[in-house]
Amino acid sequence: RKEVEQDPGPFNVPEGATVAFNCTYSNSASQSFFWYRQDCRKEPKLLMSVYSSGNEDGRFTAQLNRASQYISLLIRDSKLSDSATYLCAVAANAGGTSYGKLTFGQGTILTVHP
Amino acid sequence: DVKVTQSSRYLVKRTGEKVFLECVQDMDHENMFWYRQDPGLGLRLIYFSYDVKMKEKGDIPEGYSVSREKKERFSLILESASTNQTSMYLCASRRTGSGYTFGSGTRLTVV
């Protein structure tokens, strides 16, 4: 079983739609969680961190479910410019030997069409 | 903003060449990382470093080595390039507890 798993999609949604991605992780000691966005042929860029209580940034909402070991990303009112690959990333406790290294999911491809 | 700079966007090297990929960050981050990204395989960690002269193997270190002589610079070395090392190479740096900042990547082709 992979450490971090995502549904690769692709997700094709119309503008204005709400879309949700899930990401499961296998290491119960994981402490830090992130969502990244990657445009075609570009580097990943941090979209948002995921906090235990859930957090929101404009149209984007991230949730963490430690009991079931998954994180989610919800995008409301999708825009054409949201088309990208969304990567989840998980870090084990930085106090151990991992030194904060992130393990990434394979990414979920989102295409928003007019 | 943290800046992570990779020295080359595109490189073409011959099989058997020794290849150096350079990465510099300007925010005094302790941790630096080298990943490669391939279609269908995602981002895979090659090596990382948590301090000057310290290094740890990632998930796929075979065929690679690294050097961190100064805190801001982390170099990836392909000792003898092979065609299966054709890939996008991404460097990242991180302060513990925060997310990564990636460089813009080096697309390496080994012919």
Side-chain angles (χ1 to χ4, degrees), chain A residues 40-57:
Chain A
C40 189
R41 303 183 78 83
K42 299 277 192 177
E43 74 274 20
K45 292 191 176 175
L46 181 64
L47 180 65
M48 56 197 304
S49 303
V50 186
Y51 301 119
S52 296
S53 55
N55 49 298
E56 192 173 300
D57 182 3

Side-chain angles (χ1 to χ4, degrees), chain A residues 36 38 43 94 100 102 106, chain B residues 35 37 40 94 96 100 103 107:
Chain A
Y36 281 78
Q38 186 172 25
E43 74 274 20
L102 293 179
Q106 287 201 26
Chain B
Y35 286 82
Q37 187 174 31
R94 179 182 191 218
T96 302
Y100 283 179
R107 193 166 292 277

Side-chain angles (χ1 to χ4, degrees), chain B residues 51 72 80 91 96 111:
Chain B
D51 203 349
E72 67 270 19
S80 177
C91 174
T96 302
V111 297

